[in-house]
Amino acid sequence: MKICTKPGAIYGQLKKQLKGISWDDQHPLKIQFFRNLRFSFENDLVHYIRGDTGKTFLKANGSSRNYPGIHGAKYGLLKDGYLRYQDAFPLALWYLQQNPALSNVFAHRFAFVFIDEAQDTNAEQLAMLDNAFEDRERAVVQFLGDPNQAIYNFAVKKDVDWVPSANPVHFSDTMRYGPTIAAILDTVRIDKQISLLPNKVRSSFPPYLIIFDNGEEQLVLPAFARLLRDNGLDGKNGGTRVVFKAVGWVGKDKRDQGKLVNGNVKMTH
């Protein structure tokens, strides 16, 4: 892939990061910046915004001499069939706006639409859904979500893009955990208007935080196993031994940096 690597639009955006480093070391940073660019469609125009900040980077108004080169590379990949996940929703929204009859087709095909984990939908996804199911008389669209469980990709923000409609139906109780865990979760909730009722017949233990020093990483799993034993969880349930798993972030093997890989917990006595 060949993009503009001479001082220009990308260099201007990365001036602080590129200052004082060699040309060879600058190139990967510019490529990464290019990869994070996102489409912003406006009728027949294709603008570009920064994927990390959401701010407009290049507009298709002829004001930047770097636009043709960057657009040729980025849009050329799309024409060749390469589409990034981040670009899928603005592209879908643009296509729906260019073909408004599609909303009638979707309403005819889907009488009921349920969107689970609605708190994790962003503004672009919500706009796409609103356009796809514009006729709410023919298609019932139901959002289900909890703002207190929102997951953020970049930075934590006070408000989520999805806002429950007026007079929502609340599911206030849970079957997952008992009063002990509910009491802890209540202290970190953002939206206090949503009640959190525990399962009173379900026993739950207080959460534990395992703290370890550098070089003691291999002691974490045995400590976890010891907690299971101390709380009487290493027995059998209906004649079958209970299995516990320690799950962590899946990625590259970085044991040489002191990080662990996933594994089973051996319940040794």
Side-chain angles (χ1 to χ4, degrees), residues 209-213 215-230 244-249 255 258-268:
L209 180 63
I210 301 177
I211 301 175
F212 59 93
D213 294 325
E216 297 181 344
E217 294 81 4
Q218 300 300 327
L219 301 178
V220 173
L221 289 180
F224 175 58
R226 187 167 59 252
L227 284 173
L228 297 178
R229 289 196 304 270
D230 292 345
F244 293 92
K245 299 285 186 178
V247 181
W249 186 274
R255 278 175 288 188
K259 298 185 178 181
L260 299 178
V261 294
N262 296 341
N264 296 334
V265 179
K266 296 183 179 180
M267 301 299 296
T268 58

Side-chain angles (χ1 to χ4, degrees), residues 121-123 150-152 155-161 190:
T121 51
N122 60 34
I151 300 174
Y152 304 97
V156 175
K157 53 185 179 180
K158 183 177 180 180
D159 300 316
V160 296
D161 292 328
I190 296 176

Side-chain angles (χ1 to χ4, degrees), residues 178-198:
T180 304
I181 294 180
I184 297 295
L185 295 177
D186 188 63
T187 64
V188 295
R189 291 189 300 132
I190 296 176
D191 191 341
K192 297 290 186 178
Q193 296 180 352
I194 304 175
S195 60
L196 180 63
L197 303 178

Side-chain angles (χ1 to χ4, degrees), residues 116-129:
D116 196 13
E117 305 293 352
Q119 75 277 357
D120 294 326
T121 51
N122 60 34
E124 289 179 335
Q125 294 167 340
L126 290 170
M128 185 271 293
L129 290 168

Side-chain angles (χ1 to χ4, degrees), residues 1 34 39 71-83:
M1 180 189 302
F34 172 80
F39 291 121
H71 175 68
K74 175 76 174 176
Y75 197 68
L77 289 172
L78 177 62
K79 293 173 67 175
D80 289 340
Y82 297 95
L83 178 65

Side-chain angles (χ1 to χ4, degrees), residues 45-107:
L45 300 178
V46 184
H47 310 301
Y48 293 96
I49 61 177
R50 292 186 57 156
D52 54 348
T53 64
K55 296 181 179 180
T56 300
F57 168 59
L58 287 177
K59 300 199 73 172
N61 56 7
S63 61
S64 173
R65 61 184 178 84
N66 295 128
Y67 179 89
I70 293 177
H71 175 68
K74 175 76 174 176
Y75 197 68
L77 289 172
L78 177 62
K79 293 173 67 175
D80 289 340
Y82 297 95
L83 178 65
R84 298 178 73 236
Y85 171 82
Q86 292 85 343
D87 289 324
F89 294 102
L91 179 61
L93 177 60
W94 171 81
Y95 193 80
L96 287 165
Q97 292 171 341
Q98 297 299 307
N99 301 274
L102 284 175
S103 62
N104 295 325
V105 177
F106 291 140

Side-chain angles (χ1 to χ4, degrees), residues 145-190:
D146 181 1
N148 287 314
Q149 298 185 41
I151 300 174
Y152 304 97
N153 290 329
F154 299 105
V156 175
K157 53 185 179 180
K158 183 177 180 180
D159 300 316
V160 296
D161 292 328
W162 170 71
V163 178
S165 60
N167 302 317
V169 177
H170 290 289
F171 298 90
S172 300
D173 54 345
T174 178
M175 302 300 291
R176 293 181 178 178
Y177 41 75
T180 304
I181 294 180
I184 297 295
L185 295 177
D186 188 63
T187 64
V188 295
R189 291 189 300 132
I190 296 176

